[in-house]
Amino acid sequence: MTTNSLEGLAGERLVSETAQEVAGTVATWIEAESRRAIAGHGAFSIALSGGSTPRLLNAILAGPEWRERMEWASWNVYFADERACPPDDPASNYHLATTTLLSLVPIDPAHVHRMSGERPDLDAAAIEYSALLAGSLPSGPGGAPRLDVILLGLGENGHTASLFPGTPALGVTDRWATRGLADYEPFDRITLTYPAINAAAAVAFMVTGAGKDEALLATARGEVPASRVRPTDGTLTWFLDAVAAGA
Ligand code: 6PG
């Protein structure tokens, strides 16, 4: 694959040599976005994803340099998706975020809004999360709650957040969070919907390592769930390492 094959990808592509460099670039980008948001409306909201890709970024942000640089007191943390498990389960996205970042920096725990993946009724949990987003964020395009930043990953089958190919969540347009269905365990999920994702001020994909090339090409061709991430009135940035970009 050449980077030219990715020309159909909407948004801006920033290719770094290594996954570690991608994480550093994303940390710098988040700092800029957070400063812009805090200057504009006094707070910074960010939705985090799960998977393995955020680990390097979280390690950087939790390190001594970024602990001092970031205005953590103004952060409000949300989630792009969550797996059906308790918050202390190693599979939980909240658990990942907490153990690798949130408990290591001075973020007010009251500013961390997790999805209740442990609830037996995930539809109810998603409806409550939808209401939480609407009640705590400024209103954006189409009346959707507007997050300042959403960090997304890309699955090998082109899913993002927990918007998996061929699942009902892809068609949900009347709420901001809904139930998702994955093709690997834990299968049951809660996920932001397209209207919520596309209302954000800035959406970023972090994609690193081998195994993502087909998904990137399919995204560029408009064939998979990640293709429909198109912020209405916001930016879209792809942070790739050279392997993922085929460079
Ligand atoms: C999750 C996600 C998911 C993830 C991709 C990429 O809960 O699994 O939020 O959308 O971002 O599957 O995962 P990797 O970073 O592990 O490749």
Side-chain angles (χ1 to χ4, degrees), residues 48-55 80-83 91-93 151-157 159-164 184 189-190 206-208 212:
L48 306 176
S49 284
S52 56
T53 311
R55 286 181 180 276
D81 69 326
E82 184 54 279
R83 291 105 179 266
S92 154
N93 291 347
L151 292 180
L152 295 173
L154 179 68
E156 291 182 15
N157 63 358
H159 77 262
T160 191
S162 282
L163 295 165
F164 281 79
Y184 59 93
R189 308 288 179 102
I190 301 171
M206 251 193 304
V207 187
T208 60
K212 300 288 173 83

